[in-house]
Amino acid sequence: MEATRELYWNIGHGASVLIPMYLFTFAALGFLVRSGLQRLDIYKQGKPLNRFDQRGVRIVQLLKNVLLQSRVLKVKGPGYAHGLFFWGFFLLFIGTVFVALQADFTDLLFGFRFLHGDFYLIFSAVLDIAGLVAIAMLAGFFVRRYLVRPDGLETTRDDAIMHGLLFAILITGFVIEGARMAVTELPNNMALAAWSPVGLVVAKGLSGMGEGSLRALHQGMWWLHFALVIGFICSIPFTKFRHILTTSANYFLADLGPKGALVTLNMESEDAESFGAAQIKDMTWKDIFDTDACTKCKRCQDRCPAHNTDKPLSPMKVINQLGEVAGTNPDANLIETVSKDALWSCTTCRACQEICPASIEHVGKIVDMRRNMVLMEGEFPGEEVMVAMDNTEVNGNPLGLAFASRGDWAEGLPVTRLSDDAEVDILYFVGCYASFDKRNIKVATSFVQLCAAAGVKVGILGKEEKCCGEPMRKLGNEYLYQSMATENIETMESYKVKKVVTACPHCFNTLTKDYRDLGFSIETEHYTTFLNRLIQEGKLKVKGDAFDCTYHDSCYIGRHNDLYEEPRALVAAAGGTIREMERSRAEGFCCGAGGGRIMAEEKLGSRISGKRALMAAETGTGTLVSNCPFCLTMFEDGIKGAELEGKLVPRDIAEILVERVIA
């Protein structure tokens, strides 16, 4: 006997079954579509934004993240469990489609059947295993959410509905299969029954019932199972089930522009009534759509350095607060809803966005609300920030030092001021801290000496260089940022600079991304990439004196620009052996200086830099290597605050390399 089974066994396949079944199915799908269209009105409250360009790229991104669960699998444990549950449930859905396709289309209209023979055997085994895996993973989710719930994981009515419905759908499916097998396969076709291992166990458990009772159980469970599926479809728009659709759509709608780049405001627009976001209408439709895509998994919250140091910021809560405003009170003030302290606590480190399985964009929303506070209300996180802003306006740097002394650090070094000689190999965009801060001047000096050893002629702007404007921009002062940026661009272009190299990740990120909106087109490189290439090409020779260290991935080199290997290659070239910290690479922990926080006092919670210093100290190496002037400054303070002086020394890669140069 060929391996197969009668589809719709014990249910029938006439009009009395098919008509109500498909009528209810299409009605549920229609209800789903109608409810979804109604939610479009919520999204339309936001401003226009084009997220439908490069459709081929977007479709590939959608398929990769849905079918392969690429973003979900970034977190071990819950991520793997979710992936397994998805694949299990997805295979069951495909199996249901195959059954309907044969029974109600190919066989009904053309007499063609494909669910037989070896294909049917594999089909049966795969679906049974898929269902078992789905139930096991769902049970794990239940335990995690209700019995050993991690701190911060919120449980609501939606979660109970989701768990109940999914459990009921999966379990009734196996009861249906078991009742059928107890009548049709268990008595006389065990060879076939063996290919449905879970169904076989259920069938044996039900074997004591008579055939009449089994048929009644089968028929009752079949219609109950169908009703549960209809209920599942209808509940999608009103529960967290909607993330099945919205999260998937968000993969298609993800930002394809430069990673982490902010929208450049037209500060001269005569039509603009306000700048930044104070109400939900000031956000884009995609910002509102993000709130529906959120699964409340709290991964962003777990990664957030502000939240992890007891500050009043949870990226997850920010997104859900915006969603509540959009859905229930669109006239509410977003800043008051989220709270100013929460908004000022963000370091814009992108840890939340990097780990988010739903491709939600948190940072831009926070910066938009900051823009409103600064540009419309004149509010800053503290007096010290106002002073830094004033200093930048007057002297071109937040430290308040005279702009004329910006190039004094380079006296006696092999450096050319472009005002004297513009024929150089690279323009070294020094940045504020390397120009004025004694600790970071050592890094600038080391970089220049490394370039000289490689035969690279270095030029600087000196007093003509202004702050790149990044800290001001991330704190919401778009006007001051654009003023600084415009002056820098005009100065560099006037000298016909061919290439810019900077040791500051914040300068690098700003020049390579944000300045492009203002017409800047000069090639810009971070010094770790530049120096690594000089070593690879044999132009810069260093000896490898062995030492142990740990390495800190600066957020604006790591998560913002995916430069993880080049700095590590430089450490290796110098003879260093890196012992990675608990949080490294894409999961690295911020130093606390990003988002303009370098200019603000850390008054809430504990110090982010102190927590990172403790992570470094736990490696036992005694040396903390970084490649960012902000990080170096924060670690100097963090080590003192954590009482690690003498136990941990922060160093820049350039300082280590220059000690090992081979003349």
Side-chain angles (χ1 to χ4, degrees):
M1 180 183 295
E2 188 178 34
T4 188
R5 68 177 171 87
E6 179 186 348
L7 303 183
Y8 293 111
W9 173 84
N10 193 46
I11 302 299
H13 199 228
S16 61
V17 172
L18 293 181
I19 290 177
M21 184 177 74
Y22 279 101
L23 184 64
F24 278 110
T25 299
F26 286 121
L29 292 173
F31 178 78
L32 172 62
V33 171
R34 180 175 176 274
S35 300
L37 291 174
Q38 288 177 338
R39 293 202 69 80
L40 287 179
D41 292 333
I42 295 177
Y43 309 146
K44 288 178 180 178
Q45 296 176 93
K47 296 185 295 187
L49 180 69
N50 182 16
R51 286 295 175 86
F52 298 93
D53 59 330
Q54 304 182 59
R55 294 186 182 180
V57 175
R58 294 183 180 281
I59 290 172
V60 170
Q61 194 164 262
L62 167 68
L63 295 175
K64 174 186 174 184
N65 283 300
V66 172
L67 298 182
L68 300 182
Q69 295 282 283
S70 301
R71 292 194 65 88
V72 171
L73 295 178
K74 282 188 175 183
V75 173
K76 298 175 182 178
Y80 291 166
H82 188 282
L84 288 170
F85 176 79
F86 167 81
W87 290 317
F89 209 81
F90 181 71
L91 287 172
L92 291 173
F93 170 74
I94 295 298
T96 302
V97 171
F98 276 12
V99 168
L101 182 64
Q102 174 175 300
D104 305 332
F105 182 68
T106 64
D107 188 19
L108 186 66
L109 300 180
F110 307 105
F112 173 68
R113 301 179 181 182
F114 53 87
L115 291 176
H116 62 86
D118 291 343
F119 178 74
Y120 175 75
L121 295 177
I122 296 171
F123 172 82
S124 295
V126 167
L127 291 195
D128 260 39
I129 294 170
L132 181 61
V133 168
I135 288 176
M137 295 305 104
L138 192 59
F141 295 150
F142 181 87
V143 170
R144 180 172 183 267
R145 183 167 291 278
Y146 292 100
L147 302 181
V148 292
R149 185 171 62 191
D151 290 340
L153 185 64
E154 298 180 351
T155 298
T156 64
R157 176 184 61 89
D158 278 8
D159 298 297
I161 292 173
M162 291 173 68
H163 277 84
L165 261 178
L166 292 174
F167 264 128
I169 289 171
L170 291 167
I171 291 171
T172 54
F174 277 121
V175 173
I176 292 166
E177 181 183 43
R180 175 188 60 79
M181 291 175 63
V183 174
T184 63
E185 296 176 16
L186 207 57
N188 51 26
N189 201 348
M190 282 296 294
L192 179 60
W195 286 88
S196 302
V198 182
L200 179 58
V201 171
V202 177
K204 288 182 176 179
L206 299 174
S207 60
M209 300 173 63
E211 181 174 338
S213 297
L214 285 170
R215 285 180 175 273
L217 174 65
H218 175 272
Q219 194 170 71
M221 281 293 166
W222 194 96
W223 284 109
L224 175 59
H225 181 80
F226 176 73
L228 291 170
V229 171
I230 296 299
F232 168 77
I233 295 171
C234 292
S235 70
I236 288 175
F238 308 105
T239 65
K240 284 169 63 177
F241 276 138
R242 63 173 171 263
H243 83 262
I244 297 170
L245 303 177
T246 53
T247 299
S248 299
N250 228 23
Y251 298 140
F252 179 88
L253 300 169
D255 185 6
L256 298 181
K259 192 176 183 182
L262 297 176
V263 174
T264 299
L265 301 182
N266 181 2
M267 302 303 300
E268 298 179 358
S269 174
E270 296 180 358
D271 298 328
E273 297 179 0
S274 65
F275 295 106
Q279 293 182 308
I280 204 68
K281 66 180 181 180
D282 300 323
M283 294 285 184
T284 68
W285 67 264
K286 173 60 167 59
D287 289 324
I288 302 173
F289 188 84
D290 273 352
T291 68
D292 262 2
C294 179
T295 64
K296 297 183 180 179
C297 68
K298 85 180 186 72
R299 293 185 187 183
C300 59
Q301 180 175 287
D302 289 344
R303 290 290 189 276
C304 177
H307 186 82
N308 275 273
T309 50
D310 302 316
K311 295 173 179 61
L313 171 63
S314 162
M316 177 184 72
K317 289 184 179 178
V318 170
I319 297 302
N320 285 280
Q321 286 168 331
L322 296 181
E324 290 172 7
V325 168
T328 62
N329 188 13
D331 293 328
N333 185 288
L334 298 181
I335 296 164
E336 292 178 1
T337 301
V338 175
S339 89
K340 295 174 183 178
D341 283 343
L343 293 173
W344 290 131
S345 295
C346 178
T347 67
T348 67
C349 70
R350 266 187 73 90
C352 51
Q353 289 185 216
E354 197 73 13
I355 199 63
C356 178
S359 290
I360 290 168
E361 298 156 23
H362 309 73
V363 175
K365 299 172 179 56
I366 290 174
V367 172
D368 270 345
M369 287 183 273
R370 286 180 171 185
R371 282 170 168 171
N372 187 268
M373 284 193 283
V374 171
L375 298 175
M376 305 308 300
E377 304 297 333
E379 291 192 36
F380 296 93
E383 290 291 331
E384 73 282 3
V385 176
M386 293 182 66
V387 171
M389 295 284 184
D390 290 340
N391 288 338
T392 305
E393 283 195 69
V394 175
N395 283 306
N397 69 84
L399 303 175
L401 299 171
F403 73 91
S405 64
R406 193 174 186 104
D408 290 355
W409 66 273
E411 294 296 332
L413 293 172
V415 174
T416 300
R417 286 178 172 79
L418 295 196
S419 57
D420 298 328
D421 180 7
E423 291 299 319
V424 296
D425 295 320
I426 63 167
L427 166 64
Y428 174 30
F429 194 91
V430 187
C432 299
Y433 275 75
S435 294
F436 296 110
D437 175 65
K438 290 182 180 180
R439 179 66 185 86
N440 280 288
I441 284 174
K442 295 179 182 178
V443 178
T445 300
S446 297
F447 174 67
V448 168
Q449 291 171 338
L450 289 168
C451 289
V456 177
K457 185 178 180 181
V458 178
I460 62 172
L461 294 174
K463 66 180 180 181
E464 294 181 280
E465 180 184 295
K466 307 285 186 182
C467 176
C468 71
E470 190 268 351
M472 298 80 205
R473 187 180 210 203
K474 293 294 164 56
L475 279 173
N477 197 339
E478 181 76 6
Y479 178 82
L480 183 54
Y481 153 72
Q482 290 193 24
S483 297
M484 295 294 103
T486 301
E487 289 187 52
N488 281 327
I489 292 170
E490 289 176 353
T491 301
M492 287 186 278
E493 290 184 342
S494 70
Y495 287 116
K496 296 181 172 53
V497 171
K498 299 175 183 177
K499 183 171 185 174
V500 179
V501 177
T502 179
C504 175
H506 297 265
C507 294
F508 168 70
N509 190 71
T510 302
L511 269 63
T512 55
K513 297 174 184 176
D514 300 332
Y515 274 27
R516 306 296 158 169
D517 286 349
L518 301 175
F520 185 69
S521 59
I522 301 172
E523 179 189 358
T524 304
E525 199 168 20
H526 189 251
Y527 85 116
T528 54
T529 306
F530 180 69
L531 292 177
N532 186 53
R533 187 170 59 257
L534 291 179
I535 291 176
Q536 295 300 316
E537 293 174 353
K539 295 178 181 178
L540 177 63
K541 301 183 187 306
V542 295
K543 57 185 177 181
D545 288 342
F547 68 101
D548 289 336
C549 68
T550 189
Y551 171 71
H552 168 77
D553 292 281
S554 163
C555 302
Y556 275 78
I557 284 299
R559 280 186 291 268
H560 279 263
N561 287 283
D562 297 316
L563 295 177
Y564 297 110
E565 301 309 324
E566 291 85 345
R568 285 174 169 80
L570 289 177
V571 173
T577 298
I578 297 174
R579 295 183 198 170
E580 298 288 2
M581 283 181 267
E582 174 190 349
R583 301 269 291 270
S584 64
R585 297 182 182 268
E587 296 182 13
F589 197 81
C590 182
C591 74
R597 295 294 313 176
I598 186 71
M599 302 189 300
E601 294 179 11
E602 198 168 355
K603 302 172 183 176
L604 301 175
S606 57
R607 295 183 67 84
I608 295 174
S609 60
K611 183 156 187 170
R612 187 55 165 170
L614 287 170
M615 292 182 192
E618 287 173 0
T619 66
T621 63
T623 302
L624 170 56
V625 179
S626 66
N627 54 28
C628 171
F630 288 6
C631 294
L632 191 57
T633 299
M634 297 301 286
F635 291 145
E636 292 278 345
D637 292 339
I639 287 171
K640 292 177 184 177
E643 299 181 351
L644 292 171
E645 291 177 286
K647 300 177 183 177
L648 185 66
V649 178
R651 304 204 69 194
D652 188 273
I653 290 177
E655 295 177 303
I656 295 172
L657 288 171
V658 79
E659 295 171 350
R660 292 162 169 75
V661 168
I662 300 174

